């Protein structure tokens, strides 16, 4: 996976590649899909949600330019796979998931794998975690209809925020880098994520353990 899918397509950050070698992706997929855990596409994790394609995880992580010192906010815990990659490369990770069931399962899985520096929250991640802001890095692993004002406001100085923005079926992956009072936006390429349902996200139906029906 690392050489054939990631390095071959331009992922060059050795720390990201090493983290993706270390984290056992097969521990994050449903049992019946274990044979496809390292395949070049997203996989269903139940509740209509997906674990992102390895390349997309690597691309987003590389764009965050983590050095090991950062306090990171992730929106959309899902299986917890991306959370584990972030925990390998940052000081502290806060991850928010709207589905109680997915959050609990991810928390149990990540504790079992030995990750300690992760705080799990259930709720609408499009609002961020105002009490814990500012964050050095923010990552949304579901799509947004527009630039989310409240998340941008929780980005620290010199911070980086990576998120997919567009319509429900196709988005552009965007990185916003804050330099003091100025915000510079870079486009990283097209992508297709499941939607973030919430105040600054999309409207949508209820699901298991929903906190915002
Ligand atoms: N990063 C995950 C993939 C997440 S898919 C992984 O590696 O497995 C997007 C996730 O966002 C889904 O689990 C979905 O339930 C969750 N989600 C949707 N709307 C949300 C919201 N407003 N706040 C937090 N999580 C949300």
């Amino acid at each position: 996976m690392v050489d054939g899918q990631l390095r071959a397509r331009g992922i060059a950050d050795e720390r990201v590649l090493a983290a993706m070698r270390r984290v056992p992706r097969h521990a994050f997929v449903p049992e019946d899909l274990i044979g496809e855990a390292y395949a070049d596409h997203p996989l269903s994790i139940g509740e209509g949600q997906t674990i992102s394609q390895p390349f997309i995880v690597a691309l987003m992580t590389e764009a965050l330019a983590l050095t090991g010192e950062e306090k990171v906010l992730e929106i959309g815990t899902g299986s917890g796979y991306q959370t584990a990659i972030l925990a390998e490369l940052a000081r502290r990770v806060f991850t928010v998931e709207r589905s109680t069931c997915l959050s609990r399962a991810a928390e149990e899985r990540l504790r079992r794998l030995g990750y300690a520096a992760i705080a799990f929250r259930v709720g609408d991640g499009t609002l961020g975690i105002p009490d814990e802001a500012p964050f050095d890095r923010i990552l949304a692993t579901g799509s947004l209809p527009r630039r989310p004002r409240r998340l941008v406001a929780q980005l620290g100085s010199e911070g980086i925020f990576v998120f997919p923005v567009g319509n429900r079926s196709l988005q552009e992956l965007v990185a916003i880098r804050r330099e003091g009072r100025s915000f510079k936006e870079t486009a990283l390429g097209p992508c297709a994520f499941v939607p973030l349902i919430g105040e600054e996200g999309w409207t949508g139906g209820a699901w298991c353990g929903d906190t915002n029906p």
Side-chain angles (χ1 to χ4, degrees):
M1 175 184 91
V2 167
D3 290 330
Q5 297 172 36
L6 310 183
R7 210 187 283 280
R9 270 185 230 147
I11 304 297
D13 184 332
E14 291 299 335
R15 293 187 72 235
V16 173
L17 294 169
M20 297 215 31
R21 247 187 242 288
R22 274 195 303 273
V23 177
R25 190 169 158 93
H26 58 267
F28 294 83
V29 306
E31 235 167 75
D32 57 325
L33 292 175
I34 279 184
E36 289 178 64
Y38 296 89
D40 193 12
H41 51 74
L43 292 169
S44 167
I45 55 169
E47 309 240 352
Q49 306 305 319
T50 58
I51 173 172
S52 303
Q53 176 192 19
F55 172 69
I56 288 290
V57 173
L59 183 67
M60 294 195 297
T61 309
E62 188 171 60
L64 290 174
L66 294 163
T67 66
E69 294 306 314
E70 294 83 5
K71 178 178 173 184
V72 181
L73 170 63
E74 179 195 32
I75 299 121
T77 313
S79 70
Y81 177 67
Q82 172 77 70
T83 321
I85 301 286
L86 295 173
E88 291 272 343
L89 297 169
R91 178 172 56 83
R92 184 111 176 92
V93 180
F94 291 81
T95 184
V96 190
E97 168 58 54
R98 184 170 177 261
S99 157
T100 309
C101 303
L102 288 176
S103 179
R104 294 231 172 102
E107 179 165 8
E108 197 177 295
R109 183 178 293 131
L110 287 162
R111 297 260 179 265
R112 198 170 0 99
L113 290 169
Y115 291 98
I118 303 173
F120 296 83
R121 298 282 171 92
V122 174
D124 179 4
T126 68
L127 303 177
I129 311 178
D131 293 355
E132 294 290 346
F135 296 96
D136 303 306
R137 303 289 188 265
I138 303 177
L139 175 63
T141 69
S143 73
L144 291 156
R146 65 193 75 84
R147 183 197 273 225
R149 196 174 46 83
R150 276 180 273 197
L151 287 172
V152 174
Q154 290 175 34
L155 191 60
S157 196
E158 316 304 313
I160 302 175
F161 176 20
V162 174
F163 59 100
V165 61
N167 62 41
R168 269 188 105 119
S169 50
L170 190 70
Q171 305 96 34
E172 180 83 30
L173 195 60
V174 164
I176 290 182
R177 180 186 282 271
R178 179 173 170 195
E179 280 154 21
R181 285 177 181 204
S182 83
F183 293 83
K184 232 171 65 193
E185 194 170 308
T186 318
L188 304 173
C191 55
F193 280 80
V194 295
L196 289 181
I197 310 294
E199 257 187 65
E200 300 231 4
W202 308 89
T203 50
W207 63 68
C208 165
D210 206 334
T211 55
N212 186 23

